[in-house]
Structures are given as structure tokens and as C-alpha cells.
Amino acid sequence: MKIVKLMMALVVGLVAAGLSAQEMPRIEKKDGRFALMVDGKPFLMLGAQINNSSSWAAELPSAWSAAEAMHVNTVEAPVYWEQMEPAKGTFDFANVDLLVNQARERHLHLVLLWFGTWKNGQNHYVPEWIKSDVKTYPREETAYGKLLDVMSPVSAANLDADKHAFAALMGHLKEIDGAQHTVLMIQVENESGSVGSVRDFSPAAQKLFEGDVPAELTKALHVSGGSWTKVFGPDADERFAAYSTAHYVGEVAKAGKAEYALPMYCNVWIIYPVHALENRDRAYPGQEYPSGGPEQPNVPIWKAAAPSIDVLAPDYYSSDSELFRQTLAVYHRPDNPVFIPETHADANFGRFLFYALGSGAIGFSPFGIDRGPQPGPVFDQRSAEGGPRPASAGDNYALLRPAGMEIAQLNFEGKVQTAVEEKGTARQTLHFNGVDAVVSFGFPQGDGAAPPGTPTLQGHALVAQLGPLEFLVTGFDASVSFRLPDAPGSPSSFGQKSEAWQKEQIEILRAEEGGYVDGAWKTIRIWNGDQTDRGLNFRGNTPPMVRARFHTIPLYDEQVGGMAR
């Protein structure tokens, strides 16, 4: 009897372990789109990153308060190698436990940031016992032999030390969080690469550079083999740095996943355009960004050399929305989900968040929420005198968080589109299956007149198709109307004769303001009158969600006669 009970307990344990593994956070791909799956369902990460030195007991209360005030569902927080392994092979997980337990108490998820070999292209968080032993744990060298505060990526000793520490972290996370999934993802290193040199010129690195490019890399890139200089020409130094760094980081991630296979990503200090007045066409690697990181031109190398990294995720610190769209285009690949792990929480937040959602983003996160404004190229776009202020990061998250699971599912199914106001685009048309959504920014909107736009280009809207004639709609400083494609009299064809005259027109059957509660839609009130004139109107910084159903009626009375005949 005892044996039977023991066997049953073993079976139950194995089944539970299997279910736990199945329900682990993971990144899933379907029809070219991605979702971060949490407990088996798509999850939209509305995140915020705390400051670099905030993962301490004395600092966390203000960090949690800032996160909760911003309506986030996930907090990004660093884990420090120097604190976690103060002596070789001796681990202290007190800060990790503190983060996990306090996040869990607040019903928040976590993304943990491994500040290991690299932080901003340097070795800021490497333990003292490594920093002080440059012979055992070698540094990068410049072409002139100067030692940098950057660990050499070609050193087996450096790699083994990081792998051992990271694997210990992941094993501990499995023990304390393997069944509850408070931690959703892991950032492996931080803005990897070299600051101070285009690459490592140490004797060990130089020997590798003078050899041939590894065959697996040339095969993945579909290029002929040969030396680094032959294959990559004037970019050989930087591409060598990219391969060396990617291979190192990939091996660290692989060791961690062997313990606990959470999704893993690398954040990217991207390459920004140089000033127009400067007499050069690009920024300097190793000076204006860490050379060898997964910057825009290095993405193919990182994808080939670090297959254990699930996402290459660009940090974005600029007010230039055109550059943001270009950056999204680089990292929105068939093998790479869109995720913005760092950005500013300024007046551009809503614009960039909605652009990211329109590209199928699995998550979005501003940096440094617990310490006020951060240094960087922030441009504070304030409203005109008496006009509405731009929606804050908290306003946007407060709007989206209650419907986060539903938006994530709809985005995974390719049913979400966004419109973002830019100069000269106060009206935009989104094309859905059989229906167009016309988004007009700014108020008031008069009959037959173009929409006025907003003083600070703060309008943005989200539209998701729930059924053939049913939509979920919300936005800031926008009205959204619906029409059948090519319908005469529509904003896009007003005053022009269409070759495809429609015999039907679309009208609202019911527009419900409400929200999702435990996955079910709950109606607060029905819209009509001023709320639905010239479309569904969303004004102010606390807009609602609206679920609207439509139907079609004849465009003209066939018995009386008309153009539709």
C-alpha cells in the first residue's frame, strides 16, 4: 500500500512538473507574429525599469510606489553580480529574494536584468575578486596596449565565471519561482560591447582576428569564407567584436537556460545618426556606442552567434519618431519580437508605445521611474496655453492595463492596428478585413472640415477587430469612424467619384463604454449623441474603452431610385 501511494505521489509530482514546465513563461510565434505567453496566455508587458542602484532594501519602497502610480504590470529590476557573488563560489541571493517576494506581494511581475560582465559596455558590476585579478580575468586592450574597464570576450576564464554565476541565479529562481512565475524574462548583460575600443586587440583576440571567420557564421550570413578583413572589409574590427561578444553572451544564456529556461533577451545601445553638421556619415564604434553589441548592422551576426537569446531589444532615447519607426523596422524581424526595454517617459511616450503596439510589441518600458527625469535627449513637448496636456506614461498604462490580456491576444492574432499623429497626418485610415477605420486627431471637428490636429502631436488611437463588424476602440485626442472601403462620401473619397460605388453603408448598432473584468466584457454605459457624432470621440487624458458593433444598410432606397442602382 505504501509503495502504491509512493508511486501515485511520484506520478502526481511528475505531472505537476510537466504542467509547470508547459506553463512557464515563453515566447511563442504564430503566422509571423509573437506573444509572450504567461500561464499559457498572451501577455502584454506594460513595464517600467527602476534605476541602476535601486535593487536594495532601502530603495525599493520608492521604486514600488512609482511603479504602482504608473499602473505598470511588470517591473524591470537589476541583479548585481558583485553583490550576488562577493567571493568566488559564495552566493548571496538576498536581493533576488527581496525583489521576487515584494513584487509578488504587490501582484506585479518581474523582469530581472543580469548586470554581469557588461553594463553600458563596461565592467561596472563585475565582482571585486575578478576586477582585481587582471591576469586570471583579462581585460580588453586597445590597439596601443591600454587595458580597458571591459572584460575580454575571448577569455575562457571570464566566460566560465559569468556562466557559473548566471547558472546559479537561474537555478535559484527555479527554486523560489518555478511554480509561481513572478519572473517573466531575463535580460542577459546590459548594453553589451566595448566602450573605449572598436574591438579587443589583446594577443589572444588578435590571433583569432588574424584567422578565418568561423564557418558557421559565414554559412548563416550566406557569404564566402576567409579572414575577417576579407569577409567584412573596413567593418572587420566591429564585426569581429560583434561575433566575440554575441558568442560570449549566448553561452552565458545557454548555461542559464540549462537551469531554468525563461525567455532571455539582450538590450541594445543603438546607433544614433550623427549631427548633420559633422563631416561624417556614421557614429564611431567604441566611442559613441559599445562596439560589438547587437546594434542595427550587427543583428544578423548576433542572431547567428547567440541562438539562446530570444529577443534583441533596442533601448530608445530620442524624440525623433521617424528614427523610432526605422528602429522598429530593423528589430521587427521574422526571428525577433518587438520589445522596447528602455525609453523615456516623456511626452513622446504614448506615441512610441502605440507605434510599438502597431508593430506587434510584446512589451514596452520606460527607464528610471523612481528617480525623476533622466539625462538624455529629452524634448519636453508641452501643450499650448489652455490646451490639454499630453497624456503621461501613467495615463497610457491606466488605459491599456485592464485590457492587457485581451490586447495581447488580439495582437497575436494580427487584429490590432494603431494610428499615431504626426505632422501633416491629422487624419489616417486603418484598413481591416472588409472595414476601414478613419482616425481624426484633435477637436473640435466640424462638418466637412479637416481635423485640426493637436498642438503637440499627442493624438494616438488603438483599434482591434473583434468580429466582422465589431471593434474595440480607444485613444487620446481622437475620433474614430468606420466605413466600408471606397464608400462615396467617406473622408478619403469625399468630393471624388469612386469607380466602386457601394450599395451599402455602415452605421453603429451599439457602442458600449466599459472594460474587461476577468476576461469578460462589462458595460458601464451606452454611447450616443455627442459621444458618437462624427465617430467615436475620445478626449482628455482618461479616455475609456469602447466596444462597438455595426451593421450595414442600403446606401440608397432602391424603390425610390438613386446612384446605387
Side-chain angles (χ1 to χ4, degrees), residues 24-35:
M24 274 185 61
R26 67 184 189 279
I27 291 176
E28 190 169 305
K29 181 180 179 182
K30 179 180 69 174
D31 300 329
R33 296 181 293 273
F34 295 90

Side-chain angles (χ1 to χ4, degrees), residues 101-412:
N101 292 332
Q102 291 191 1
R104 197 177 288 160
E105 289 169 2
R106 290 162 175 79
H107 305 288
L108 293 171
H109 285 289
L110 278 176
V111 170
L112 294 183
L113 319 177
W114 175 236
F115 284 5
T117 296
W118 283 279
K119 171 68 175 76
N120 296 0
Q122 295 173 293
N123 63 359
H124 294 305
Y125 291 92
V126 169
E128 289 184 20
W129 54 271
I130 289 181
K131 284 182 180 178
S132 59
D133 187 358
V134 297
K135 289 187 177 180
T136 305
Y137 304 102
R139 308 292 186 86
E140 281 198 11
E141 296 182 23
T142 69
Y144 306 101
K146 178 184 177 181
L147 297 185
L148 299 174
D149 54 351
V150 182
M151 309 306 295
S152 172
V154 305
S155 164
N158 292 345
L159 176 57
D160 287 345
D162 197 332
K163 284 169 57 177
H164 185 251
F166 188 65
L169 169 64
M170 298 308 297
H172 183 72
L173 285 178
K174 183 177 182 180
E175 288 180 8
I176 66 170
D177 197 47
Q180 293 179 271
H181 308 144
T182 304
V183 181
L184 303 182
M185 295 179 71
I186 304 293
Q187 178 183 292
V188 188
E189 315 296 346
N190 180 278
E191 295 180 342
S192 305
S194 172
V195 169
S197 178
V198 66
R199 69 169 173 89
D200 184 6
F201 287 87
S202 67
Q206 188 63 28
K207 182 178 180 180
L208 292 172
F209 180 77
E210 292 171 355
D212 286 347
V213 178
E216 65 268 19
L217 180 59
T218 56
K219 181 180 179 181
L221 299 180
H222 305 290
V223 297
S224 299
S227 69
W228 286 92
T229 301
K230 177 183 177 182
V231 174
F232 295 105
D235 295 321
D237 288 330
E238 187 176 359
R239 303 300 174 254
F240 174 80
Y243 176 78
S244 302
T245 307
H247 180 266
Y248 185 112
V249 176
E251 288 298 300
V252 172
K254 181 180 178 181
K257 282 189 170 181
E259 297 294 327
Y260 186 37
L262 285 176
M264 297 187 182
Y265 74 95
C266 290
N267 67 327
V268 187
W269 180 336
I270 65 169
I271 303 173
Y272 292 94
V274 296
H275 194 278
L277 297 180
E278 297 186 41
N279 189 27
R280 54 195 174 106
D281 60 1
R282 59 170 294 178
Y284 295 128
Q287 303 300 323
E288 292 163 295
Y289 62 92
S291 182
E295 294 89 14
Q296 296 94 315
N298 291 334
V299 169
I301 291 176
W302 271 74
K303 282 295 180 182
S308 291
I309 296 297
D310 301 286
V311 189
L312 300 178
D315 298 340
Y316 192 80
Y317 290 102
S318 171
S319 64
D320 188 338
S321 59
E322 174 60 28
L323 178 62
F324 184 72
R325 296 195 297 276
Q326 293 173 5
T327 302
L328 285 178
V330 170
Y331 291 91
H332 185 191
R333 294 165 44 112
D335 59 356
N336 197 69
V338 171
F339 175 42
I340 307 298
E342 290 186 33
T343 189
H344 283 301
D346 67 349
N348 284 311
F349 181 93
R351 178 182 301 161
F352 293 159
L353 169 61
F354 274 60
Y355 270 133
L357 288 175
S359 293
I362 63 172
F364 195 90
S365 177
F367 169 75
I369 61 160
D370 54 323
R371 286 289 181 178
Q374 298 300 309
V378 182
F379 297 86
D380 187 18
Q381 297 184 327
R382 300 193 181 279
S383 60
E385 187 68 28
R389 67 173 175 84
S392 69
D395 293 332
N396 282 273
Y397 277 2
L399 171 65
L400 297 176
R401 181 173 177 177
M405 300 295 287
E406 288 72 26
I407 292 172
Q409 179 66 49
L410 290 164
N411 221 350
F412 193 32

